[in-house]
Amino acid sequence: MFNLPETHFSFGGDEYIYAEISRDMRIESNFKALAVTDELRNREIPGIIEIVPSNSSYLVRYNPDIISARDLQDYLKDIDLTKSDLTKLHFSVRIVEIPAWYDDPVSEEYSYRFRHRHPAPDLSDFEFVMKVNGFTDKEAFIQSHSETPYLITMVGFLPGTAWQFPLGLQPNEIIQSPKYNSPRTETPERGMGLGGAFNVIYPVSGPGSYQLIGRSAVSVVDPTNKLEDLKEASFLARPGDIWKYRPINETEYEKIRNEVITGKYRFKMKDIELSPLEYAEKGKQYIQELMEDY
């Protein structure tokens, strides 16, 4: 029996229940948060206003005039219990390719513009991330980062921002980095950031403290609904999906940008069934099997 961590519930004022599965980031905790919140949506319990899964927790907002806090907590405990056994969980998700220009000039420009906020002001963000992870060769770093699939564990902060956690790696294999000492006041749209073990793509220009290691050629949010694959929700990120970076050069970057701007770009995606049990049993081998022929 593969049991997931026990959840601790707490009340937030008169309208919120916060469910903490674990204090630290664990993939199995995120699987449980996704499973519980999916089931909550499916049940359509009267009085629930909003359901927000996070990296290793979830938050539920409710109307106390329709459902009491204690009754809702009982619902949550019941669902949480049914989603605590890995052998009974599976997810229908997508693998999505993200064409990425690593160490691009715009990211480098922003690195030096905000160097006074950086822990190593003499280095670009890209150089800093390479250094703290023991890389001396640029291409080796790009290969290591891009060959790792990343699980979308949470969406938030700026609309469409996806927190991505590496799959199938041991802790000593994960590329990670300290954040800025104090946040930038501006970040380029589609900038690829790394903070701790998490990756993000900034959907729009705005503040940020993650190290900039490159730039996505594709938009992760499309309020104009020009892109066929983003017409349904305008946002690319879905919790539980897997993103895979593909390194590209400047020429391909500009080609893809033109396709995105004209609405002709189609994302490379693959629908899969993700098994938390197989992930727990086989780890990296299971992820490699999922990524075959992609």
Side-chain angles (χ1 to χ4, degrees), residues 15-268:
E15 296 183 2
Y16 297 91
I17 292 181
Y18 173 65
E20 182 181 78
I21 302 169
S22 61
R23 290 280 177 101
D24 56 337
M25 175 56 208
R26 300 167 60 186
I27 289 291
E28 56 266 35
S29 297
N30 188 253
F31 286 150
K32 183 172 179 177
L34 294 176
V36 171
T37 52
D38 282 349
E39 179 65 19
L40 267 179
R41 293 189 189 93
N42 291 335
R43 292 197 184 189
E44 299 181 344
I45 299 170
I48 290 182
I49 299 172
E50 193 170 8
I51 303 165
V52 183
S54 184
N55 294 319
S56 56
S57 60
Y58 56 93
L59 182 72
V60 180
R61 184 185 179 192
Y62 63 96
N63 184 340
D65 292 330
I66 298 176
I67 186 170
S68 73
R70 295 299 176 184
D71 285 346
L72 178 55
Q73 186 182 48
D74 288 341
Y75 273 120
L76 294 180
K77 287 182 176 180
D78 175 64
I79 295 173
D80 196 273
L81 184 63
T82 67
K83 302 301 179 182
S84 292
D85 183 357
L86 279 179
T87 63
K88 298 179 181 179
L89 299 186
H90 73 279
F91 301 101
S92 298
V93 301
R94 306 172 303 177
I95 301 174
V96 182
E97 179 184 90
I98 306 293
W101 184 8
Y102 285 86
D103 196 23
D104 67 292
V106 172
S107 297
E108 184 178 26
E109 174 196 341
Y110 275 78
S111 295
Y112 290 119
R113 187 192 304 181
F114 294 97
R115 65 173 63 192
H116 59 290
R117 300 169 183 259
H118 199 276
D122 294 333
L123 300 175
S124 71
D125 289 12
F126 187 88
E127 292 169 336
F128 176 69
V129 173
M130 280 186 57
K131 182 177 180 179
V132 298
N133 285 280
F135 287 91
T136 57
D137 180 74
K138 175 179 176 178
E139 295 307 317
F141 170 81
I142 293 174
Q143 178 180 348
S144 179
H145 184 271
S146 62
E147 69 183 7
T148 301
Y150 296 88
L151 178 73
I152 304 300
T153 58
M154 187 179 86
V155 177
F157 184 57
L158 294 170
T161 305
W163 269 256
Q164 311 152 40
F165 194 81
L167 283 172
L169 300 183
Q170 297 299 317
N172 65 326
E173 298 176 310
I174 295 175
I175 293 175
Q176 48 191 310
S177 173
K179 298 187 289 186
Y180 273 51
N181 293 336
S182 60
R184 297 178 300 273
T185 56
E186 188 179 358
T187 302
E189 175 195 357
R190 292 174 285 103
M192 295 161 47
L194 179 68
F198 285 94
N199 289 259
V200 299
I201 295 176
Y202 290 86
V204 295
S205 177
S209 61
Y210 281 22
Q211 305 291 337
L212 297 171
I213 60 172
R215 206 167 184 206
S216 167
V218 297
S219 303
V220 295
V221 58
D222 179 28
T224 66
N225 294 123
K226 282 185 179 179
L227 295 172
E228 181 66 29
D229 298 309
L230 300 186
K231 282 185 176 179
E232 181 179 341
S234 296
F235 302 116
L236 178 63
R238 297 180 184 176
D241 277 358
I242 297 171
W243 284 7
K244 180 71 164 54
Y245 290 96
R246 179 173 67 85
I248 59 174
N249 58 24
E250 181 178 4
T251 300
E252 187 172 5
Y253 174 89
E254 295 298 340
K255 176 179 179 293
I256 293 174
R257 286 305 305 151
N258 182 64
E259 292 176 351
V260 171
I261 291 169
T262 58
K264 297 178 181 178
Y265 184 80
R266 296 301 305 268
F267 286 87
K268 182 181 178 183

